[in-house]
């Protein structure tokens, strides 16, 4: 279970302009030794009045996704990529059904949730905004830099990942890559099992990585073509 990690120690740096925007909040941010956690503060500048981007209730980042909000206990408010650059996608398999995934993500006692859940028929639910840090990877640094995509299914059963699911997930992954400008390859799209320190085995040996990555690259080409056409207007 990922709890999002604790505060990071500062590196001896003084406060930047953004940290100073926090005023009294900055002065209150101390650890037991009395040292200000400047490294943490520099990621909180966007909380200053007038800086935070407006948010629309129920808005989704992925066109066509259904908004199904996860419990606020299972993610941390942020302003990515302004405060944390996004350069990874983590692929998960829930070990259960689509309704089970949504139910546990809505449970504040669960302590974890991914940004998206993909159903067997390809339907996509978004449960956390990409702006925010989801507790899904079991590693704080990876949580802060990644988007988590959960899939209905079981890691120990062959044939659990039908074509509709793979194509839909691949379109989603390609769109995330395009939004944040990182390549659709296996360095940047990884399984939960590949996260440093993770104790999970998903997506498991039956996840068709070769097929999936071909679909992601194909979808990325389509996304770029659509964007180019829109620019030509």
């Amino acid at each position: 279970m990922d709890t999002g990690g604790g505060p990071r120690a500062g590196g001896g740096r003084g406060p930047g302009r953004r940290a100073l925007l926090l005023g009294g909040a900055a002065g209150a941010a101390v650890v037991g030794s009395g040292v200000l956690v400047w490294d943490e503060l520099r990621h909180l500048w966007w909380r200053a009045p007038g800086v935070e981007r407006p948010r629309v209730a129920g808005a989704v980042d992925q066109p066509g996704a259904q908004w199904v909000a996860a419990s606020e206990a299972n993610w941390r408010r942020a302003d990515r990529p302004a405060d944390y650059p996004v350069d990874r996608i983590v692929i998960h398999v829930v070990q259960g059904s689509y309704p089970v995934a949504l139910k546990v993500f809505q449970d504040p006692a669960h302590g974890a949730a991914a940004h998206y859940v993909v159903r067997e028929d390809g339907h996509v639910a978004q449960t956390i905004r990409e702006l925010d840090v989801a507790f899904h990877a079991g590693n704080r640094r990876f949580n802060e830099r990644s988007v988590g995509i959960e899939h209905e299914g079981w890691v120990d059963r062959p044939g659990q990942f039908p074509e509709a699911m793979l194509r839909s997930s691949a379109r989603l992954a390609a769109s995330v890559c395009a939004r944040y400008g990182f390549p659709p390859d296996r360095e940047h799209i990884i399984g939960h099992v590949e996260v440093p320190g993770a104790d999970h085995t998903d997506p498991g040996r039956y996840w068709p990585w070769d097929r999936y990555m071909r679909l992601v690259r194909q979808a990325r080409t389509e996304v770029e073509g659509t964007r180019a056409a829109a620019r030509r207007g």
Side-chain angles (χ1 to χ4, degrees):
M1 181 179 296
D2 178 19
T3 59
R8 288 168 295 177
R13 292 170 294 185
R17 182 183 66 83
R18 289 173 172 174
L20 288 173
L21 285 172
L22 298 173
V30 297
V31 293
S33 64
V35 178
L36 289 170
V37 190
W38 296 119
D39 190 50
E40 192 73 17
L41 287 173
R42 71 189 180 90
H43 294 297
L44 298 177
W45 60 270
W46 57 271
R47 288 181 179 268
V51 175
E52 184 174 3
R53 278 188 284 174
R55 294 179 181 232
V56 178
V60 295
D61 299 293
Q62 180 67 12
Q66 176 189 3
W67 178 252
V68 185
S71 168
E72 292 185 5
N74 297 330
W75 55 272
R76 172 159 54 88
R77 197 171 179 88
D79 189 26
R80 303 189 311 169
D83 48 0
Y84 300 102
V86 176
D87 65 358
R88 292 290 188 279
I89 293 169
V90 179
I91 300 296
H92 302 264
V93 170
V94 72
Q95 280 296 91
S97 66
Y98 173 85
V100 165
L102 296 181
K103 182 177 180 180
V104 297
F105 287 1
Q106 292 172 327
D107 181 359
H110 183 59
H115 293 90
Y116 294 97
V117 183
V118 183
R119 198 166 63 193
E120 188 178 63
D121 63 0
H123 178 76
V124 176
Q126 181 167 2
T127 66
I128 299 167
R129 289 293 306 277
E130 291 176 13
L131 284 168
D132 297 317
V133 176
F135 303 159
H136 68 100
N139 177 308
R140 178 170 179 168
R141 300 298 192 273
F142 272 74
N143 285 343
E144 290 167 347
R145 71 192 297 181
S146 67
V147 170
I149 304 178
E150 188 77 72
H151 298 81
E152 182 175 35
W154 289 260
V155 299
D156 54 351
R157 300 182 189 179
Q160 285 294 297
F161 310 116
E163 188 73 5
M165 170 185 279
L166 293 175
R167 287 187 175 275
S168 178
S169 176
R171 286 193 298 271
L172 171 58
S175 296
V176 172
C177 291
R179 274 194 282 278
Y180 301 102
F182 61 89
D185 58 30
R186 284 287 281 119
E187 178 183 351
H188 297 87
I189 301 175
I190 64 173
H192 193 180
V193 66
E194 298 170 285
V195 174
D199 59 358
H200 288 241
T201 62
D202 58 312
R205 62 186 175 127
Y206 295 114
W207 181 259
W209 276 113
D210 290 344
R211 171 66 175 157
Y212 183 71
M213 294 306 301
R214 285 196 297 270
L215 291 172
V216 174
R217 289 190 291 269
Q218 176 184 327
R220 178 64 185 270
T221 300
E222 294 169 358
V223 168
E224 294 298 339
T226 300
R227 288 186 168 188
R231 286 194 297 269
R232 290 193 297 269

